[in-house]
Amino acid sequence: AVAVTAGDPAPTFTLEGVHDGARRTYTLTEFRGRPIVLIFYPGDNTPVCTRQLNEYTDDIDQFLELDAQLLAASPEDLDSHDGFANHQGGFAFPLLADVDKDLARAYGVLGPIGFYRRCVFVIDGAGTITYVHRGYAGATFRRTDELVRAVREAKEAA
């Protein structure tokens, strides 16, 4: 399968997620009309992922000013996500449980042996992918200012 890229329609999804201890089903389409920052991270309670999600939480106001919704997905289940979020004092966005890795496959973020890669997609309000960053082993995460700039560009283009 050819990996989705900027300009492609974002693959839709329905996934269980947890935010502030509350579990529910999340869909891509419920956020239609708003930019979405879809974050794929390899694992709960790992050092780089922890720094990454805490940075985005600390900087959430910069995203909210642009009406952007952040969603973070990894292959762990809701119990793992809930424990991770609690341990970190909560994140400012839902953690999605992509246990069967269908979401990761749809977006082309799995490595050669099925591990999640650290990737970020920005999706505009019309459901089109406008920014893609695919990380590789050992790659660091995208900083807030780069993602905020990508969200701003997505809004201007929409």
Side-chain angles (χ1 to χ4, degrees):
V2 178
V4 292
T5 190
D8 289 347
T12 57
F13 58 82
T14 301
L15 273 182
E16 295 303 305
V18 60
H19 184 221
D20 288 338
R23 299 177 181 204
R24 72 170 176 91
T25 302
Y26 289 85
T27 65
L28 182 66
T29 47
E30 75 182 85
F31 302 110
R32 189 55 58 96
R34 299 175 62 191
I36 294 168
V37 180
L38 180 58
I39 302 149
F40 290 90
Y41 69 100
D44 292 342
N45 298 302
T46 58
V48 177
C49 298
T50 299
R51 282 205 311 278
Q52 177 180 21
L53 299 188
N54 277 315
E55 175 173 312
Y56 300 158
T57 292
D58 291 345
D59 297 337
I60 194 66
D61 288 349
Q62 296 181 48
F63 294 105
L64 294 179
E65 280 168 17
L66 297 169
D67 195 34
Q69 174 66 52
L70 276 63
L71 298 169
S74 83
E76 287 99 351
D77 64 16
L78 293 176
D79 288 341
S80 175
H81 284 347
D82 214 10
F84 178 35
N86 285 338
H87 186 64
Q88 292 299 320
F91 295 116
F93 40 83
L95 302 183
L96 305 181
D98 186 24
V99 178
D100 54 17
K101 301 184 182 176
D102 283 350
L103 182 66
R105 270 189 287 279
Y107 281 82
V109 303
L110 291 180
I113 47 176
F115 285 120
Y116 249 59
R117 287 189 175 137
R118 190 179 311 286
C119 300
V120 181
F121 295 78
V122 174
I123 300 161
D124 71 15
T128 300
I129 296 170
T130 58
Y131 167 98
V132 178
H133 174 77
R134 292 178 197 280
Y136 294 92
T140 185
F141 58 90
R142 299 294 94 191
R143 310 303 301 213
T144 295
D145 55 356
E146 180 178 335
L147 297 181
V148 166
R149 197 160 51 244
V151 169
R152 193 172 288 117
E153 287 165 7
K155 283 183 75 87
E156 286 163 4

